[in-house]
Amino acid sequence: GRMKRLRRHGHESQRDRLKQELFQFNKTVEHGFPHQPSALGYSPSLQLLAIGTRSGAIKLYGAPGVEFMGLHDENAAVTQVHFLPRQVQLLTCTKWLCNQHMSFASQPLQVNIEADVLSHSFLPLVYPYTPVSSSVPNDYIGRRNLEHVEALQENPVNPNQVVIGYGRGLMVIWDLKKRCAVQHIPATQQLESVWWTEDGSYILSSHSDGSYCRKLVCVSLSVCRPPFLVFSGGMPRASYGDRHCITVIHGKTHVALDFTSRIIDFFVIRGGQQHTEDPSALVVLVEEELVAIDLQTEGWPVIQAPYLVPLHSSAITCSHHISVIPLKLWERIIAAGHLPTPAPWPITGGQNLAPDPPQRDLLLTGHEDGTVHFWDASGVCLYPLYKLSTAGVFHTDADPNDNMNQGTEGEWPPFRKVGCFDPYSDDPRLGIQKIHLCKYSGYLTVAGTAGQILVLELNDEAAEQTVEAKVVDLLQGQEGFRWKGHTQLDVREEPVLFPPGFQPFALVQCQPPAVVTALTLHSEWKLVAFGTSHGFGVYDYQQKNSVLIKCTLNPSDQLAMEGPLSRVKSIKKSLRQSFRRIRRSRLHDANARLEAELAEMELAPVQRKIEARSSDDSFTGLVRMLYFADTFLSDSSHHTPSLWAGTNGGCVFAYMLRFPPVEHRADEPVTAHPAKEIQLMHRAPVVGIVVLDGRGTPLPEPLEVAHDLARSPDMQGSHHLLVISEEQFKVFTLPKVSAKMKLKLTAVDGSRVRRVGVAWFGSSRSEDYGENGLLVLTNQGDVHVVSLPAVKMQVHYPCIRREDVSGIASCVFTKHGQGFYLISPSEFERFSLSTRHLVEPRCLVEPPPQSGTSTQHRPRPAYRYAHSEMLFYYGSYYILTVFMRLSSLPRNASQDGGHDAGKVFFRGL
């Protein structure tokens, strides 16, 4: 007995060591665009961009791959971000505090707060609010007549002078040494903003009536050349009040850039360090995207951003990840995207120390407007490769004349639309709900909200063709049901010109036209299987014919006939039409709320209460899982192609598929025959089905063995069927389908399986060792790894907040132990459970070299008061200058709260 115990203990400690070599949880990088950005900063010397958000996050970006992230403790909106000149430090101003002082990047992936920037080192100096001069009109004297401080800026060539701009229009040049006003510049209109030109010669002011003024304050020796004038606004308010514009004027060129959402801030990048050089790029942060404009190329084109791309240009409705894309397919997708040779990204700070990604990975996102976006998910930058639109196949509710952005000839000022954020889907039935891409054959299938399933193939040339719909009635003659939901989309009967890329050649239309809830494609057998809340079917896309239709609708289930869009479609359409006539800024919040309600309704069948599961429950027939497998169904000596389907009511159907000889594949039908039916006792929804071969290995994907990328499955030993329900993992022997073993998730804390995927975990110590495992996400937001074929729990980690229902619903796993989930409508959090497969920023930012001894670039002493570093002003009559004492000793990461997978959360001081 003792020997047995010792041996078991030794085996367990060895297994624990192995687990540490295989599994490790890290949240690694946030892809996409920050939710609710509120502040923008830029360091010309470091070439770094900083964005603060309303939730207190700070994100720093340099050259592609150079990314840092931090989070303020108090969750307050960041209102200002400022880099300290020529230092690797920045200051943030939050809604409640103005003393966040951060230093970063003296080593990779680290954000620090300096040790002794404490409250006693902030010494306020208050300027007088009353300007003392006889040169000022009497009605400006007194704090009420001045109104609040609207603007404050340092003289770029004389740090002893600042200009203070008051709301009523008065500007005062104040001498910091003499503590007196040097000059007063009155104005008749309300002041909006002030800019002191870089040579110190002019002060420009903008005013509420749309005017701007230029005041000569000193004569400089700079070379005269046509200036670039850049300002926000510039559209006549009476007719264009709903536009978000930035106007750029250079010589005779005058353009109002019309952005997609509210402008937060912008900055200009110069071609070099010389003050005489013209600007090379304009970088604009708007509420929903970041846009860079190339000012050196004629026509001022947009520069494709390598990061911060708005994933939510139309709301994301589903995701699909494919690992290790063959080079040929990758090149054809890039060619289809035909992105022009991009101008180099103008923000180049820091060094990317990460090695090149070992493989090419794709993330596909389906959107509410019927588009599918292909993203390069191989590295830290989630980069757009190609966009496919399915809307052209159908007639939709869109009104071609109802385009807010159509300009008419001769309009002044000339404006052009910039950016890609456009959340207003004219027809929510177009929404993509399921995607499946075969990386070996280039066949793609996508399914939508109104029961439409498209099969597409990759074509390098444009092609004009009609797409005929094959209507599939999933009710199969069931009496007493009437569909109360949305109608199907009308297919265009005339030929449609499809651009190079994925082109639809087959279309299945389910009746009733309910949301497609399950989808899979087998490219060797040329079959697509699809399911809704009413049943499932198999379609032969080579012969364009149905192979199987099975109704799973429970006779008592009237709810499944409602349709999630029926309750909101009419109100949504009328709201959309009226919204288009009012300001877009007001529209956005209302529309977002509506989209969220719609998403909840669409998720409702899946996320219903699951404690009580009687046979008359609603949505028991909803198909959750479809799986093709070549395995043993009739006897243990003959394997056969098969289809497995799992429902919301815990039922699994298995069908045997018979194919004609190869030479008759195009004309003789494929047939399907019922073979097995399993009813799980606890009736929990089936969320995963996997067949394991004789070695206990999951069956390879179609064509994977033919491409020498997987071992042939073991067809000698017995196969096993693993059925994963929301409550447990159950293994059955094949072909008898007798239960062999099971693993219950947990009955105590109410955990339910929400998402599952098969993954390969490579050892961090040995190149040749690895294991298959199941990745599991629960409704509590925990991720687990379950071993195969033994079905034993290996590790588990908290990943997503349990309250974040949409985050949990959006999660997608990769075949190498990573995952993505939405932390906001516009951002994916990437995480990894593998020690070997880890995509995270590895980067470094170093202080810029201190050049020469010229006064202009001489480093200022650390105790110098802060007009050389930072000026804060409040909406009041006073101005606060901050004196700072800066420590040269960085704190170590552990004092700051330590690393959380490459992130350091800095504390509010």
Side-chain angles (χ1 to χ4, degrees):
R2 187 164 175 272
M3 278 300 290
K4 204 171 179 182
R5 273 204 307 276
L6 282 171
R7 196 161 58 242
R8 188 183 298 140
H9 177 74
H11 175 73
E12 281 173 5
S13 60
Q14 187 183 344
R15 181 65 199 159
D16 286 341
R17 276 199 303 276
L18 199 51
K19 279 186 198 176
Q20 289 174 1
E21 293 168 20
L22 294 169
F23 313 116
Q24 179 186 337
F25 180 74
N26 285 296
K27 288 187 180 179
T28 52
V29 63
E30 289 176 7
H31 297 298
F33 184 78
H35 188 49
Q36 298 183 323
S38 53
L40 178 69
Y42 176 66
S43 167
S45 58
L46 297 175
Q47 281 276 298
L48 284 187
L49 158 83
I51 292 178
T53 74
R54 280 197 247 168
S55 59
I58 286 280
K59 301 199 165 189
L60 301 169
Y61 298 90
V66 175
E67 298 186 11
F68 297 88
M69 191 217 147
L71 194 65
H72 292 91
D73 265 0
E74 65 277 2
N75 206 27
V78 178
T79 55
Q80 294 181 44
V81 181
H82 299 272
F83 286 89
L84 303 192
R86 309 192 66 73
Q87 296 181 51
V88 191
Q89 294 175 354
L90 56 86
L91 269 162
T92 63
C93 184
T94 66
K95 206 161 188 176
W96 314 119
L97 293 169
C98 287
N99 59 357
Q100 307 297 332
H101 175 216
M102 302 141 210
S103 139
F104 56 92
S106 50
Q107 51 189 292
L109 293 170
Q110 186 161 319
V111 183
N112 286 339
I113 304 175
E114 292 292 323
D116 56 357
V117 181
L118 302 171
S119 54
H120 66 263
S121 61
F122 286 80
L123 308 173
L125 166 70
V126 178
Y127 298 125
Y129 64 84
T130 311
V132 185
S133 172
S134 55
S135 65
V136 178
N138 285 337
D139 60 351
Y140 276 117
I141 295 174
R143 76 169 63 164
R144 296 220 166 152
N145 295 338
L146 280 167
E147 293 190 5
H148 57 266
V149 174
E150 188 66 58
L152 178 66
Q153 204 191 357
E154 181 186 287
N155 184 337
V157 295
N158 179 1
N160 291 319
Q161 286 184 355
V162 291
V163 60
I164 307 162
Y166 294 94
R168 276 282 303 284
L170 176 69
M171 289 171 286
V172 178
I173 298 178
W174 184 265
D175 191 295
L176 292 164
K177 273 191 174 173
K178 298 174 185 170
R179 301 209 177 180
C180 67
V182 176
Q183 190 176 351
H184 296 90
I185 308 165
T188 55
Q189 293 290 337
Q190 194 82 12
L191 185 72
E192 295 282 327
S193 67
V194 164
W195 182 258
W196 207 323
T197 59
E198 291 188 349
D199 59 3
S201 55
Y202 289 95
I203 288 176
L204 280 82
S205 59
S206 67
H207 301 274
S208 58
D209 64 344
S211 65
Y212 63 90
C213 305
R214 192 169 70 148
K215 177 75 176 177
L216 182 68
V217 288
C218 80
V219 179
S220 76
L221 300 172
S222 66
V223 180
C224 286
R225 49 172 50 176
F228 270 86
L229 185 60
V230 184
F231 55 86
S232 60
M235 299 297 285
R237 272 195 183 139
S239 46
Y240 297 103
D242 60 351
R243 295 203 184 268
H244 312 289
C245 281
I246 285 184
T247 298
V248 185
I249 302 172
H250 181 235
K252 291 183 179 174
T253 310
H254 178 151
V255 177
L257 301 168
D258 178 20
F259 290 89
T260 58
S261 51
R262 187 173 62 86
I263 291 160
I264 289 164
D265 207 346
F266 63 91
F267 61 83
V268 168
I269 298 176
R270 302 177 74 92
Q273 299 301 314
Q274 305 305 314
H275 285 292
T276 53
E277 281 199 29
D278 280 343
S280 60
L282 167 67
V283 179
V284 184
L285 177 66
V286 296
E287 204 153 40
E288 304 293 352
E289 58 186 311
L290 181 87
V291 179
I293 308 285
D294 182 354
L295 297 176
Q296 290 184 328
T297 304
E298 196 175 343
W300 296 343
V302 170
I303 305 171
Q304 173 62 57
Y307 42 66
L308 291 166
V309 182
L311 305 174
H312 64 317
S313 51
S314 168
I316 292 176
T317 44
C318 68
S319 306
H320 177 64
H321 186 276
I322 314 103
S323 302
V324 198
I325 303 292
L327 180 61
K328 180 68 178 164
L329 177 67
W330 188 264
E331 288 172 342
R332 291 178 71 194
I333 289 171
I334 289 172
H338 63 80
L339 293 168
T341 308
W345 183 241
I347 298 165
T348 57
Q351 302 163 42
N352 179 12
L353 306 177
D356 287 340
Q359 61 195 42
R360 292 170 294 274
D361 288 356
L362 272 177
L363 180 68
L364 274 56
T365 51
H367 297 260
E368 196 201 30
D369 63 357
T371 58
V372 177
H373 293 235
F374 288 61
W375 306 90
D376 178 353
S378 321
V380 168
C381 296
L382 193 67
Y383 194 80
L385 298 178
Y386 164 69
K387 181 171 91 170
L388 159 72
S389 176
T390 62
V393 178
F394 307 100
H395 292 287
T396 65
D397 287 352
D399 177 359
N401 301 317
D402 189 15
N403 187 345
M404 292 183 66
N405 299 305
Q406 279 177 343
T408 54
E409 282 301 309
E411 272 190 309
W412 194 93
F415 66 92
R416 68 179 172 102
K417 191 176 184 305
V418 177
C420 63
F421 176 70
D422 183 16
Y424 311 106
S425 169
D426 289 294
D427 196 330
R429 295 175 299 172
L430 286 166
I432 305 292
Q433 297 294 331
K434 295 287 171 188
I435 304 170
H436 190 114
L437 171 68
C438 172
K439 64 186 177 186
Y440 305 112
S441 65
Y443 282 108
L444 168 71
T445 180
V446 298
T449 302
Q452 73 272 27
I453 298 109
L454 282 162
V455 190
L456 309 97
E457 62 183 331
L458 192 51
N459 187 351
D460 301 329
E461 306 293 329
E464 191 172 36
Q465 60 202 51
T466 53
V467 184
E468 289 176 33
K470 172 72 178 176
V471 177
V472 170
D473 177 15
L474 287 168
L475 293 183
Q476 290 291 283
Q478 287 246 19
E479 295 294 320
F481 286 114
R482 191 173 64 81
W483 175 248
K484 301 182 186 71
H486 50 271
T487 57
Q488 70 180 56
L489 287 156
D490 295 324
V491 181
R492 290 183 188 273
E493 290 169 8
E494 70 276 12
V496 178
L497 180 66
F498 295 105
F502 287 94
Q503 297 170 350
F505 67 91
L507 168 62
V508 177
Q509 178 59 59
C510 295
Q511 287 295 354
V515 170
V516 177
T517 55
L519 183 72
T520 190
L521 174 143
H522 199 294
S523 47
E524 273 180 82
W525 302 342
K526 304 283 194 292
L527 300 180
V528 166
F530 52 90
T532 72
S533 48
H534 308 129
F536 60 91
V538 175
Y539 176 76
D540 176 347
Y541 63 80
Q542 182 171 357
Q543 293 186 24
K544 298 193 176 176
N545 209 359
S546 291
V547 173
L548 162 69
I549 304 170
K550 166 73 175 171
C551 180
T552 55
L553 187 66
N554 189 303
S556 64
D557 187 2
Q558 284 293 335
L559 260 183
M561 302 304 290
E562 291 285 327
L565 291 174
S566 58
R567 283 156 284 182
V568 289
K569 181 155 187 287
S570 56
I571 182 175
K572 195 172 176 189
K573 190 174 176 186
S574 59
L575 273 171
R576 182 179 290 110
Q577 285 164 351
S578 57
F579 274 161
R580 286 184 184 275
R581 297 175 180 88
I582 62 172
R583 288 176 65 94
R584 277 183 97 161
S585 52
R586 292 181 195 152
L587 161 61
H588 177 58
D589 290 343
N591 203 63
R593 274 199 302 277
L594 210 54
E595 302 291 349
E597 283 169 27
L598 173 65
E600 271 176 41
M601 286 180 178
E602 287 180 0
L603 290 168
V606 180
Q607 292 172 352
R608 62 192 178 85
K609 287 280 184 191
I610 52 175
E611 282 72 31
R613 288 199 177 97
S614 60
S615 58
D616 59 358
D617 256 356
S618 295
F619 298 105
T620 52
L622 185 142
V623 179
R624 293 285 292 269
M625 184 70 207
L626 290 163
Y627 178 73
F628 285 118
D630 186 354
T631 188
F632 300 91
L633 264 183
S634 54
D635 60 69
S636 53
S637 52
H638 300 92
H639 56 91
T640 173
S642 63
L643 172 76
W644 300 78
T647 72
N648 226 31
C651 196
V652 177
F653 301 95
Y655 280 78
M656 194 180 294
L657 302 171
R658 291 210 178 106
F659 289 85
V662 176
E663 61 272 20
H664 295 295
R665 175 64 182 88
D667 43 62
E668 287 184 19
V670 178
T671 57
H673 310 273
K676 307 283 182 189
E677 192 173 321
I678 308 167
Q679 176 62 63
L680 300 177
M681 302 264 303
H682 53 90
R683 299 185 183 278
V686 175
V687 294
I689 297 172
V690 181
V691 169
L692 305 170
D693 72 3
R695 289 186 291 263
T697 303
L699 294 185
E701 289 178 45
L703 295 173
E704 196 172 13
V705 175
H707 282 72
D708 291 330
L709 288 160
R711 283 168 77 181
S712 295
D714 181 344
M715 294 312 222
Q716 303 304 317
S718 57
H719 283 194
H720 287 92
L721 171 73
L722 170 59
V723 176
I724 302 131
S725 74
E726 284 194 346
E727 293 179 356
Q728 66 182 23
F729 306 80
K730 200 161 189 179
V731 179
F732 299 88
T733 60
L734 287 176
K736 286 184 178 175
V737 191
S738 53
K740 184 180 179 186
M741 59 178 149
K742 64 182 176 185
L743 168 68
K744 279 196 173 175
L745 188 65
T746 167
V748 182
D749 65 357
S751 278
R752 300 280 185 262
V753 176
R754 277 286 176 264
R755 186 76 76 241
V756 69
V758 174
W760 171 257
F761 292 91
S763 163
S764 57
R765 288 192 62 184
S766 160
E767 272 295 310
D768 357 317
Y769 185 75
E771 294 179 5
N772 282 304
L774 281 176
L775 285 167
V776 180
L777 172 73
T778 74
N779 61 339
Q780 310 285 316
D782 298 329
V783 286
H784 301 254
V785 179
V786 174
S787 65
L788 288 176
V791 194
K792 285 195 164 62
M793 198 67 80
Q794 298 300 302
V795 287
H796 64 93
Y797 309 95
C799 180
I800 310 175
R801 285 183 309 112
R802 68 178 68 185
E803 303 80 29
D804 186 1
V805 176
S806 60
I808 291 170
S810 68
C811 183
V812 57
F813 290 127
T814 82
K815 296 269 196 260
H816 290 93
Q818 299 188 60
F820 300 80
Y821 67 93
L822 289 171
I823 47 173
S824 75
S826 57
E827 294 167 285
F828 276 113
E829 174 74 72
R830 185 177 190 137
F831 62 91
S832 175
L833 291 109
S834 166
T835 55
R836 195 187 288 181
H837 287 271
L838 203 66
V839 171
E840 61 180 350
R842 296 175 184 273
C843 49
L844 175 68
V845 176
E846 292 178 309
Q850 306 291 353
S851 54
T853 53
S854 71
T855 22
Q856 190 179 336
H857 292 302
R858 187 181 300 147
R860 292 163 176 152
Y863 57 82
R864 176 149 183 132
Y865 50 84
H867 70 261
S868 61
E869 322 291 356
M870 182 85 289
L871 286 166
F872 296 113
Y873 55 92
Y874 303 90
S876 67
Y877 312 108
Y878 304 105
I879 297 162
L880 178 72
T881 299
V882 180
F883 289 84
M884 300 193 68
R885 179 159 53 79
L886 304 183
S887 160
S888 57
L889 298 170
R891 292 163 70 179
N892 64 41
S894 60
Q895 288 173 287
D896 287 331
H899 288 283
D900 173 20
K903 296 177 196 168
V904 176
F905 294 81
F906 26 77
R907 286 203 304 259
L909 292 168

